[in-house]
Amino acid sequence: MSQSKEILFAQTLEAVRLKAKEQGGYVGEDQVREAFAEQNLSEEQLQMVFDYLVKHKVGIGKPVDPDEYLTDREKNYLQDYLDDIAALPVYSQGEMEAFTLSAMAGEPEAQQKLVQSRLREVADIARLYAGQGVLLEDLIGEGNLALTAGVSMLGSLEQPSEADGMLAKLMMDAMEDYIRENAANEKTDRKITDKVNLVADKARELAEELHRKVTPEELAQESELSLRTILDACRMSGYKIEDIHNESNGL
């Protein structure tokens, strides 16, 4: 694909994911085909799109089962969490509307009751984001924080009826942000690991030739690696690369 086609593809894919979000976590196969119709994708390429969507928990034709992505540990945590909040009072629709109005006016007790009444909703939303490289308990934690912060922001709304949507969006945004941050950290960690492994492999090869540990300077001279890359890898590994002798660290 050319760069412009790649951008269009990415934008279309994101639009399909947003449509699925609006529809409860799924899209129809015909909706996907229609969205990509102008890009003339082959059946193989479309299948890759379907596979990508399913991998990211977008159902094709029907919602995915959220619990399918939970580990046994997460299922146990979820059950413990639900057991803990089961004893909390359940409020009527009228009571919830009254709490919302009071929370909008800054009433702390009403805000607390709104938080308690939505703790199960936090778990329900977190289940939808499970299986994306983060723990369910962390997603629930992020959702709870967003919910607690959100009830103190209700004063910015014009109508109480807007509260449900606002709080749900804040919780979802918090979980999505957490997933993105975790993915970025994992990418950084992989880059560090790859760099350390590359330098370690090159150091081992040279050490085997010389029958001794090598210095960073020697390795830079005898390989395509820069001295900065080698020194960075040494630092990142805590100066634990076995075949590199570093005088400044007594190795």
Side-chain angles (χ1 to χ4, degrees):
M1 292 185 184
S2 66
Q3 185 175 10
S4 59
K5 288 184 177 179
E6 289 176 348
I7 293 173
L8 178 59
F9 179 86
Q11 290 174 337
T12 305
L13 193 58
E14 183 60 21
V16 170
R17 289 185 64 185
L18 290 175
K19 173 60 70 174
K21 192 174 179 181
E22 294 171 0
Q23 297 178 166
Y26 72 98
V27 289
E29 181 177 334
D30 57 335
Q31 289 180 300
V32 178
R33 291 181 179 277
E34 182 179 348
F36 286 94
E38 296 183 1
Q39 299 182 45
N40 298 317
L41 301 184
S42 66
E43 279 300 316
E44 183 179 0
Q45 289 173 318
L46 278 170
Q47 187 56 54
M48 292 174 65
V49 171
F50 290 130
D51 291 344
Y52 172 89
L53 292 172
V54 171
K55 181 179 179 182
H56 287 79
K57 301 185 66 180
V58 173
I60 306 299
K62 63 179 182 180
V64 298
D65 178 7
D67 291 344
E68 178 184 344
Y69 296 88
L70 298 181
T71 65
D72 289 341
R73 172 186 168 181
E74 288 176 320
K75 289 178 182 177
N76 291 334
Y77 175 85
L78 177 61
Q79 189 58 56
D80 289 342
Y81 177 87
L82 295 177
D83 289 344
D84 287 342
I85 66 174
L88 294 174
V90 178
Y91 300 108
S92 68
Q93 183 63 32
E95 288 174 316
M96 290 294 291
E97 291 175 358
F99 294 152
T100 300
L101 282 170
S102 296
M104 291 173 66
E107 173 73 61
E109 184 177 351
Q111 291 174 352
Q112 182 61 30
K113 287 181 178 179
L114 278 184
V115 169
Q116 292 178 347
S117 68
R118 292 177 179 274
L119 291 178
R120 185 179 181 92
E121 183 182 352
V122 174
D124 290 339
I125 294 175
R127 287 167 61 220
L128 298 176
Y129 287 100
Q132 298 190 54
V134 297
L135 296 175
L136 179 71
E137 51 259 50
D138 291 334
L139 290 172
I140 290 177
E142 293 296 317
N144 285 337
L145 288 173
L147 174 60
T148 302
V151 295
S152 67
M153 299 161 55
L154 295 179
S156 63
L157 300 179
E158 294 183 1
Q159 300 294 331
S161 59
E162 299 172 344
D164 287 351
M166 174 182 170
L167 294 174
K169 185 176 187 306
L170 286 172
M171 289 185 279
M172 295 172 76
D173 287 348
M175 294 181 198
E176 290 176 2
D177 287 345
Y178 183 76
I179 290 170
R180 277 194 295 268
E181 290 169 5
N182 183 76
N185 290 338
E186 284 190 351
K187 185 175 181 180
T188 299
D189 290 344
R190 283 197 299 271
K191 285 183 177 180
I192 291 173
T193 300
D194 289 346
K195 178 181 284 191
V196 170
N197 288 340
L198 174 62
V199 171
D201 288 344
K202 294 296 184 181
R204 182 173 60 253
E205 292 173 5
L206 184 56
E208 288 175 353
E209 290 180 17
L210 300 178
H211 303 291
R212 61 171 173 79
K213 289 187 176 183
V214 300
T215 66
E217 291 76 13
E218 287 176 326
L219 185 56
Q221 290 175 357
E222 299 297 328
S223 71
E224 73 280 6
L225 302 174
S226 70
L227 181 58
R228 177 178 292 276
T229 295
I230 296 166
L231 293 176
D232 282 348
C234 289
R235 176 179 53 79
M236 292 171 182
S237 70
Y239 301 96
K240 299 297 185 183
I241 297 179
E242 184 177 352
D243 295 299
I244 293 182
H245 175 73
N246 191 301
E247 294 180 358
S248 64
N249 288 279
L251 300 175

